[in-house]
């Protein structure tokens, strides 16, 4: 949970490299289970799309919109360092670092993980709610969506009706504690108290 967008971006890049490595290790050690080690980014729409339909619309219009119209948090693959972006081939713009799955959903991908293989990195809100990544990096303002977006309560271990249904948050790490002295820190503290209470209600 980070309060400054640039810090969020930098920490997410580093954490993504870590979780890709962890998942590579898991694949070679069956005793670690079948659930992938994954990471999610839960931030505002100025950084990533909040919904898959928005991402799909962007992907369908690559000829008329620019790659920068989606401010990709990851500029290159955290595993092999291959640059993400657009390249024109045969008169068409081909995106590197993003692909569509059989459902038409947009996801991060890289050839180092197999042809158009999905990376265990989730940067669209819909995917974060659906997959419940091992680690979720978020800005504190995103917690304000909890009352207005019932599905986001899945991150707290409950469904949209407030009933416990799966594993909830096990640990909240607050970084940049020097920012806690002031109005921004006071607001973050209020949210933290609220989130702690909600988690305790689902135990």
């Amino acid at each position: 949970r980070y309060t400054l967008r640039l810090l969020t971006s930098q920490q997410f890049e580093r954490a993504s490299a870590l979780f890709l490595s962890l998942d590579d290790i898991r694949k070679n050690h069956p005793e670690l289970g079948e659930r992938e080690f994954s990471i999610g980014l839960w931030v505002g729409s100025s950084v990533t799309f909040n919904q898959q339909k928005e991402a799909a619309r962007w992907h369908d219009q690559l000829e008329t919109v620019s790659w920068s119209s989606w401010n990709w948090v990851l500029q290159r693959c955290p595993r092999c360092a291959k640059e993400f972006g657009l390249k024109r081939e045969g008169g068409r713009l081909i995106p590197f670092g993003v692909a569509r799955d059989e459902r038409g959903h947009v996801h991060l991908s890289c050839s180092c993980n197999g042809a158009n293989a999905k990376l265990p990195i989730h940067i669209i809100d819909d995917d974060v709610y659906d997959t419940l990544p091992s680690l979720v990096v978020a800005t504190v303002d995103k917690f304000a969506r909890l009352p207005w977006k019932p599905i986001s309560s899945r991150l707290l271990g409950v469904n949209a009706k407030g009933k416990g249904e799966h594993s909830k948050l096990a640990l909240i790490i607050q970084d940049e504690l020097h920012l806690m002295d002031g109005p921004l820190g006071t607001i973050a503290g209020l949210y933290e108290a609220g989130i702690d209470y909600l988690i305790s209600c689902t135990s």
Side-chain angles (χ1 to χ4, degrees):
R1 203 180 42 184
Y2 299 100
T3 48
L4 294 181
R5 185 174 298 168
L6 180 59
L7 290 173
T8 303
S9 175
Q10 293 173 340
Q11 296 289 0
F12 186 71
E13 289 176 356
R14 297 170 186 144
S16 293
L18 171 63
F19 273 80
L20 280 175
S21 297
L22 289 173
D23 200 53
D24 286 342
I25 294 172
R26 178 195 63 82
K27 292 175 182 177
N28 295 318
H29 294 273
E31 67 273 15
L32 294 178
E34 297 182 359
R35 180 175 172 80
E36 69 179 7
F37 287 101
S38 60
I39 182 171
L41 184 65
W42 196 40
V43 294
S45 58
S46 62
V47 179
T48 68
F49 295 118
N50 288 160
Q51 297 180 307
Q52 270 291 341
K53 63 181 181 181
E54 298 169 351
R57 188 181 305 117
W58 168 86
H59 191 272
D60 290 338
Q61 299 174 350
L62 286 179
E63 292 290 345
T64 57
V65 300
S66 67
W67 178 264
S68 61
S69 62
W70 185 359
N71 298 319
W72 288 87
V73 176
L74 297 177
Q75 301 301 315
R76 58 186 67 249
C77 175
R79 178 191 284 118
C80 69
K82 182 177 181 179
E83 189 173 356
F84 291 164
L86 292 174
K87 181 180 180 181
R88 188 169 291 279
E89 291 183 356
R92 296 180 61 247
L93 284 175
I94 307 298
F96 290 93
V98 64
R100 303 279 288 275
D101 62 19
E102 62 279 358
R103 299 176 298 171
H105 287 189
V106 177
H107 59 83
L108 292 178
S109 67
C110 187
S111 56
C112 70
N113 202 40
N116 288 330
K118 185 183 299 185
L119 294 172
I121 303 173
H122 308 285
I123 60 175
I124 301 174
D125 285 11
D126 286 347
D127 296 334
V128 173
Y129 304 144
D130 184 48
T131 62
L132 301 177
S134 311
L135 172 69
V136 176
V137 177
T139 46
V140 70
D141 59 292
K142 200 68 174 180
F143 288 144
R145 293 184 65 82
L146 287 168
W148 310 107
K149 192 79 171 177
I151 193 173
S152 62
S153 64
R154 295 196 78 228
L155 296 172
L156 303 181
V158 299
N159 60 25
K161 296 181 179 179
K163 304 296 183 181
E165 63 174 7
H166 52 260
S167 297
K168 60 181 182 294
L169 290 173
L171 177 66
I172 297 178
I173 301 174
Q174 171 67 54
D175 195 20
E176 301 302 319
L177 290 177
H178 67 277
L179 296 172
M180 299 305 285
D181 182 18
L184 182 60
T186 301
I187 293 174
L190 292 173
Y191 274 114
E192 180 164 353
I195 296 299
D196 285 342
Y197 173 75
L198 291 173
I199 292 176
S200 67
C201 290
T202 61
S203 35

